[in-house]
């Protein structure tokens, strides 16, 4: 079976909510993947910031294999050592012993959980940002600040006010003593790796504290080392009330967490929320193995160095206007609106990237992507830019 056979079967059997994928990926190791035609690619997108250690990493494979052979799933009537170990790790990474963790499977679900948690303050109003992405379930879609994704599905949750990302003045005007929560991405990922002004999170924190509103950091894309820190907000020095993580957390398996910090962690009571698969022994085994591997191999420091390497080498390429982001979440802004052509040309030359918006290429490779692979990417990017220009 070739790519074209799979494409035909896909359209005969799957819904048309996604654009028809041109290639079918069948195997991979590290940052290298192969399609059904046997073509090799460097995976510079990492399943959209998800495969933090690439494909079939030995630490993840052995942890998952060991666990699935031992015990598959336990319901929330029982506890499991892996869920406890991962929660312990996450609590430690927040730097606050009072933090508590709720596990689910996807980013949308943990943002839903954050909405419910914020209702326990007795307030219902929410402030979110224009252009943001928080998921596609009815609650998380109500937070998502992109009309193209929302219009077919109104009415959504009431009482969600969107203000421009990065605009402290407008945010402060919207946050008041009736605000339950403010939700923000430290760097807007889906929108095209948009970095806010330096003191933005600090000022949002102050406005939330002043009004008694929860500050929810959506670190679904920027969490678990992606930006060279465990959670994408850390550079700002703030302490959030709630952190949501997903994408990279399961190292390629479906796993998400809402981490409530400080006294916010006490808001849920038994019966308030739940998830059948939350804290599954196999997905949490993958996560524990990946986080420990990242710590042991000092990968966060490497990610910061990789960012500096990409900024200095990719910014210099003709047709590139800016390289932004942090760690290995990188937006390459182009002078012209040709990101789809550039992404297609890169794919033809064996590099998978994403055209996040008409003039931005987004890359989010595995955190352990090698210097050699990054060098090859830079070289090919340069070739592609001179071809299309
Ligand atoms: C991807 C993403 C989500 C949604 O995650 P799903 O797992 O697709 O539900 C939410 N927030 C941010 C910032 C994301 O990047």
């Amino acid at each position: 079976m070739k790519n074209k056979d799979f494409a035909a079967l896909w359209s005969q059997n799957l819904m048309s909510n996604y654009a028809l994928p041109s290639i079918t990926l069948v195997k991979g190791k590290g940052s290298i993947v192969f399609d059904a035609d046997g073509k090799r690619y460097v995976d510079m997108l990492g399943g959209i910031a998800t495969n933090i250690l690439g494909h079939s990493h030995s630490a993840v494979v052995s942890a998952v294999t060991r666990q699935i052979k031992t015990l598959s799933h336990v319901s929330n009537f029982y506890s499991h050592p892996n869920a406890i170990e991962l929660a312990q790790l996450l609590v430690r990474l927040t730097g606050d012993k009072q933090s508590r963790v709720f596990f689910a499977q996807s980013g949308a679900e943990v943002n839903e959980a954050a909405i419910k948690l914020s209702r326990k303050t007795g307030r219902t109003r929410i402030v979110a940002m224009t252009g943001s992405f928080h998921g596609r379930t009815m609650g998380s879609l109500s937070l998502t600040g992109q009309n193209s994704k929302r219009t077919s599905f109104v009415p959504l949750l009431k009482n969600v006010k969107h203000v421009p990302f990065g605009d402290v003045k407008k945010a402060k005007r919207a946050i008041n003593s009736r605000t339950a929560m403010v939700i923000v991405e430290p760097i807007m990922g889906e929108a095209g790796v948009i970095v806010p002004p330096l003191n933005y999170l600090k000022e949002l924190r102050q406005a939330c504290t002043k009004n008694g509103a929860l500050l929810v950091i959506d670190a679904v894309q920027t969490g678990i080392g992606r930006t060279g820190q465990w959670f994408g907000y850390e550079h700002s020095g703030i302490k959030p009330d709630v952190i949501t993580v997903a994408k990279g957390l399961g190292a390629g398996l479906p796993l998400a967490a809402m981490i409530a910090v400080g006294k916010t962690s006490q808001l849920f009571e038994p019966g308030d929320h739940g998830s059948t698969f939350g804290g599954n022994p196999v997905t949490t085994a993958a996560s524990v193995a990946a986080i420990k591997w990242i710590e042991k191999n000092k990968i966060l420091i490497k990610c910061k160095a990789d960012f500096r390497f990409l900024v200095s080498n990719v910014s210099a390429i003709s047709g590139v206007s800016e390289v932004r982001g942090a760690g290995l979440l990188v937006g390459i802004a182009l002078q012209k609106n040709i990101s789809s052509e550039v992404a297609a040309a890169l794919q033809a030359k064996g590099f998978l990237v994403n055209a996040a918006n008409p003039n931005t290429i987004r890359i989010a490779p595995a955190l352990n992507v090698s210097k050699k692979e990054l060098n090859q990417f830079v070289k090919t990017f340069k070739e592609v830019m001179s071809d299309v220009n």
Side-chain angles (χ1 to χ4, degrees):
M1 293 252 285
K2 295 288 181 87
N3 285 327
K4 69 169 180 14
D5 306 314
F6 282 115
L9 286 175
W10 169 286
S11 43
Q12 283 158 25
N13 294 283
L14 280 98
M15 282 197 194
S16 35
N17 58 309
Y18 301 113
L20 178 66
S22 59
I23 57 172
T24 295
L25 299 178
V26 292
K27 64 175 182 181
K29 182 81 188 161
S31 288
I32 304 301
V33 291
F34 292 89
D35 73 12
D37 293 354
K39 185 174 164 67
R40 176 189 188 272
Y41 303 88
V42 181
D43 182 4
M44 293 298 289
L45 195 55
I48 311 188
T50 294
N51 301 315
I52 40 172
L53 296 184
H55 300 268
S56 29
H57 189 277
S58 60
V60 175
V61 170
S62 59
V64 165
T65 308
R66 206 179 318 124
Q67 185 55 50
I68 195 80
K69 283 181 172 170
T70 311
L71 188 73
S72 305
H73 182 66
V74 297
S75 73
N76 298 306
F77 295 125
Y78 312 104
S79 149
H80 190 272
N82 295 355
I84 296 170
E85 187 175 8
L86 179 57
Q88 251 182 321
L89 274 174
L90 293 173
V91 166
R92 168 162 65 78
L93 297 179
T94 67
D96 182 337
K97 284 201 180 94
Q98 270 189 290
S99 298
R100 295 289 182 273
V101 179
F102 165 76
F103 288 120
Q105 287 62 241
S106 67
E109 277 174 284
V110 283
N111 287 333
E112 291 282 345
I115 297 172
K116 285 183 68 177
L117 192 74
S118 79
R119 289 281 172 101
K120 299 285 289 185
T121 63
R123 304 179 184 186
T124 59
R125 296 193 181 195
I126 295 175
V127 174
M129 309 306 160
T130 307
S132 63
F133 186 75
H134 299 295
R136 294 170 182 271
T137 56
M138 292 305 272
S140 66
L141 184 61
S142 305
L143 306 175
T144 292
Q146 299 181 36
N147 282 333
S148 61
K149 297 186 169 66
R150 298 162 56 95
T151 41
S152 302
F153 305 102
V154 291
L156 295 167
L157 276 189
K158 285 187 292 186
N159 290 345
V160 181
K161 173 143 184 72
H162 287 95
V163 295
F165 182 71
D167 189 330
V168 173
K169 267 197 193 139
K170 292 224 168 91
K172 280 187 172 163
R173 227 175 289 152
I175 302 166
N176 58 42
S177 60
R178 298 171 74 180
T179 308
M181 66 181 255
V182 175
I183 185 162
V184 65
E185 295 167 76
I187 294 175
M188 286 206 300
E190 298 301 304
V193 193
I194 314 291
V195 183
L198 201 58
N199 285 325
Y200 184 54
L201 294 182
K202 210 170 234 173
E203 301 200 59
L204 287 182
R205 172 71 275 176
Q206 283 164 4
C208 287
T209 303
K210 189 171 145 220
N211 290 285
L214 301 182
L215 178 61
V216 180
I217 295 289
D218 180 344
V220 167
Q221 189 154 159
T222 52
I224 318 302
R226 175 57 49 194
T227 64
Q229 307 156 331
W230 284 107
F231 308 106
Y233 66 83
E234 287 174 64
H235 68 93
S236 68
I238 63 152
K239 185 170 159 183
D241 299 302
V242 177
I243 309 159
T244 56
V245 287
K247 292 199 166 83
L249 180 63
L253 273 73
L255 180 61
M258 171 174 74
I259 311 164
V261 181
K263 66 181 195 309
T264 310
S265 64
Q266 305 303 315
L267 286 172
F268 272 162
E269 296 161 74
D272 275 341
H273 201 47
S275 166
T276 294
F277 277 115
N280 170 273
V282 181
T283 57
T284 48
S287 185
V288 167
I291 290 174
K292 284 183 174 170
W293 196 90
I294 289 170
E295 283 196 317
K296 189 168 150 237
N297 292 281
K298 302 191 167 42
I299 294 298
L300 268 49
I301 295 167
K302 171 201 173 285
C303 289
K304 291 196 188 100
D306 288 344
F307 182 69
R308 290 192 296 271
F309 169 82
L310 287 166
V311 169
S312 63
N313 288 277
V314 178
S315 308
I317 296 171
S318 160
V320 171
S321 56
E322 186 191 14
V323 177
R324 54 177 187 250
L328 283 170
L329 179 61
V330 180
I332 304 169
L334 309 175
Q335 282 160 7
K336 297 184 198 156
N337 289 343
I338 52 169
S339 65
S340 303
E341 283 163 76
V342 170
L346 281 165
Q347 183 173 313
K349 286 182 180 273
F351 290 84
L352 301 180
V353 302
N354 163 246
N357 67 35
N359 65 4
T360 307
I361 294 291
R362 172 176 49 164
I363 61 169
L367 305 185
N368 58 344
V369 65
S370 70
K371 196 59 174 271
K372 187 172 157 218
E373 287 154 347
L374 290 179
N375 263 313
Q376 288 167 343
F377 170 74
V378 171
K379 184 168 160 279
T380 309
F381 197 86
K382 196 170 178 177
E383 287 168 20
V384 164
M385 288 306 290
S386 86
D387 290 349
V388 297
N389 261 324

